[in-house]
Amino acid sequence: MNTNATPSSSNRHMSDFIPAAKAIKVDTRGAIILNQESPQTKDSRAIYLPNYIEPVSHIAVDIGGSLAKVVYFTRSPQPPASPSLIPSYDSTSSEGSPLHTPEEQSTPPHWPPTGPKFSGALTPLVLNETQQVHSQSLLFRDPFLGDELLRRASLQHFPGGTLTFERFETDNIDECVEFIQKLIETSAEVNGVSVAEMKEGVKIMATGGGAHKFYELFSETLGVEVLREDEMECLITGLKFLTLIPNEVYHFSDHLIDSLSSADAANGVYERPSPNPPQYQVTFEDKPKPQLPCLLVNIGSGVSIIKVDADGKYERVSGTSLGGGTLWGLLSLLTPATTFDEMLELSEKGDNSTVDMLVGDIYGQDYTKMGLKSTMIASSFGKVFKKGGKKTTFSPEDISKSLLYAVSNNIGQIAYMNAEKYGLERIYFGGCFIRGHSATITTLSYAIRFWSKGTKKAMFLRHEGFLGSIGAWIKNLEMEDN
């Protein structure tokens, strides 16, 4: 098929709306981020793409040291009635600083559906017209599908589709494989073909370190083609895609940044990052555009810092081993929490000042000459060690808050130094470490704001943990195009 051929005048108008499958790029016009179904899905809401109409059947998986992230695209009957603009489920941090959004729409009672997880189906290129009609008749069984399918049936495609996100612990990688197997089987039923026929049109696009470690597990268990993609390239590809989704990118703003022209700011007086930051609000990028050059700080088990040039070229310029794995590992040793969500819940209730040594503990007041407030952390965990051997018991909540601040502040400062070195103003934070958690976002934002004197901005993504898997999904479409 010659994808570069010019359409004839008789079919030019159709090609504008239904381009050939192998020539299409993902159309993000009108993209909608759907409401979360539960607190656990706050950073993995599906994205509805109303103008992407071509069949696609591959599944992308990014397997890191701690988590495996899955992205796949299914046909959807009609767009949901209500998008979501809420970046974080925990609307109030322990400091009592609520996260406000520019618009909070109510969720209609019929959305999201409470039925089976698979509400759509993968649509492989091997399906012919007859099979598509059969698949539509099967989908009519779903009470959540409307008459829009009947109206669209003659066009041989559904009106757009949904990019869906799932997450599994890497230690339980078999659950991820089982999920993909069920997705393929469900799609085969909906499309009216055998599982073997369905697998002929399915590919697994794998990235991350686990793409190599678990290659045989995925290939042999699922019986489909598995392609391995470069991890860093997928991260950048995913970043470039997500920054084009309306209301995907957001940042925390405070009155200090807005008042950089004030007398104190002009004199170089900036409040240090502290446990009690000023009020924050959320600002969304509702009219997205490419944001290059930039610095990408991907926080997974460890941290990779990647410089991205204006032309999209990238280079890993720094990193640190003190990342999400450090936080999870130490909190597993020091607290009864067994999951990352439990650890975040503990930190929300904690008071780090019982564990950390603050400037006020040393000076008894602010150190005004150096611009250090009494609430600034002088030494993380500095109150734990006591001379004379007397042991003090600290609550799991306070330990969690202290360690979260320690890891986040360290990452924020390293990110700033690299942004300063390469003259970059925009710093994107990605990776499953963040999880839309207000205290983490606040700490990273505060560190970047302070160290840069307001000249650099910490940017966040609502699907921050899925950059690699989204990039792998996009890369397969580019391969088909080539």
Side-chain angles (χ1 to χ4, degrees), residues 98-409:
L99 308 183
H100 299 290
T101 61
E103 178 182 2
E104 294 186 6
Q105 301 184 3
S106 61
T107 305
H110 64 280
W111 187 269
T114 57
K117 182 66 178 177
F118 307 114
S119 59
L122 302 171
T123 309
L125 296 174
V126 299
L127 297 183
N128 58 34
E129 179 179 346
T130 302
Q131 291 166 333
Q132 282 193 340
V133 172
H134 178 64
S135 69
Q136 291 165 354
S137 66
L138 284 173
L139 284 173
F140 292 151
R141 301 173 185 171
D142 192 329
F144 300 105
L145 307 188
D147 295 334
E148 183 71 6
L149 267 181
L150 288 171
R151 188 178 72 81
R152 295 263 187 155
S154 60
L155 297 180
Q156 299 181 15
H157 67 76
F158 298 131
T162 302
L163 199 58
T164 305
F165 306 87
E166 298 292 341
R167 183 176 51 242
F168 304 86
E169 292 186 5
T170 303
D171 286 344
N172 302 323
I173 194 64
D174 289 337
E175 294 180 5
C176 177
V177 175
E178 181 181 357
F179 174 84
I180 294 176
Q181 178 68 32
K182 289 182 179 179
L183 174 61
I184 294 173
E185 293 172 354
T186 301
S187 299
E189 179 184 0
V190 170
N191 284 303
V193 299
S194 67
V195 174
E197 288 176 298
M198 188 72 204
K199 288 183 176 181
E200 291 179 7
V202 174
K203 284 187 290 187
I204 302 294
M205 311 298 293
T207 188
H212 304 276
K213 182 177 181 180
F214 299 109
Y215 173 80
E216 292 183 356
L217 173 65
F218 278 82
S219 178
E220 295 176 4
T221 304
L222 297 175
V224 299
E225 182 180 7
V226 179
L227 302 177
R228 289 170 284 194
E229 298 294 338
D230 179 75
E231 181 177 3
M232 295 299 164
E233 186 174 354
C234 287
L235 285 173
I236 303 306
T237 301
L239 174 66
K240 290 191 289 186
F241 171 78
L242 281 178
T243 54
L244 296 178
I245 302 296
N247 300 306
E248 170 70 34
V249 177
Y250 64 97
H251 64 272
F252 278 20
S253 302
D254 61 58
H255 65 275
L256 294 178
I257 294 178
D258 296 335
S259 60
L260 285 177
S261 58
S262 68
D264 286 344
N267 294 327
V269 179
Y270 292 87
E271 184 178 334
R272 294 270 180 169
S274 74
N276 301 296
Q279 188 86 3
Y280 278 82
Q281 67 179 12
V282 180
T283 301
F284 292 89
E285 300 286 339
D286 57 353
K287 296 180 180 178
K289 58 183 178 180
Q291 298 289 338
L292 302 180
C294 69
L295 193 74
L296 172 61
V297 182
N298 194 58
I299 313 172
S301 300
V303 182
S304 288
I305 298 180
I306 308 166
K307 173 175 70 75
V308 188
D309 298 331
D311 58 2
K313 293 182 179 179
Y314 62 90
E315 177 186 3
R316 187 182 189 276
V317 294
S318 186
T320 173
S321 61
L322 304 182
T326 307
L327 180 68
W328 306 330
L330 288 176
L331 289 184
S332 293
L333 291 173
L334 299 173
T335 74
T338 58
T339 68
F340 189 37
D341 286 327
E342 290 179 2
M343 295 172 188
L344 293 180
E345 289 176 6
L346 287 175
S347 71
E348 291 170 12
K349 303 172 184 176
D351 177 6
N352 71 297
S353 65
T354 67
V355 179
D356 295 337
M357 185 176 294
L358 308 181
V359 168
D361 296 321
I362 300 173
Y363 290 92
Q365 58 185 3
D366 295 347
Y367 189 178
T368 307
K369 184 176 180 179
M370 296 299 294
L372 305 181
K373 287 214 165 198
S374 62
T375 52
M376 177 190 174
I377 300 172
S379 174
S380 296
F381 281 76
K383 291 179 180 175
V384 174
F385 174 74
K386 297 292 183 182
K387 291 182 179 180
K390 183 180 179 180
K391 295 287 186 179
T392 303
T393 301
F394 299 92
S395 73
E397 292 81 2
D398 295 348
I399 292 172
S400 298
K401 175 59 73 68
S402 173
L403 192 57
L404 178 67
Y405 277 146
V407 173
S408 299
N409 272 320

Side-chain angles (χ1 to χ4, degrees), residues 37-59:
E37 295 182 30
S38 69
Q40 288 70 37
T41 64
K42 62 178 178 289
D43 61 336
S44 57
R45 300 177 178 93
I47 299 176
Y48 184 80
L49 301 172
N51 290 294
Y52 187 79
I53 60 177
E54 290 301 323
V56 56
S57 61
H58 62 275
I59 303 166

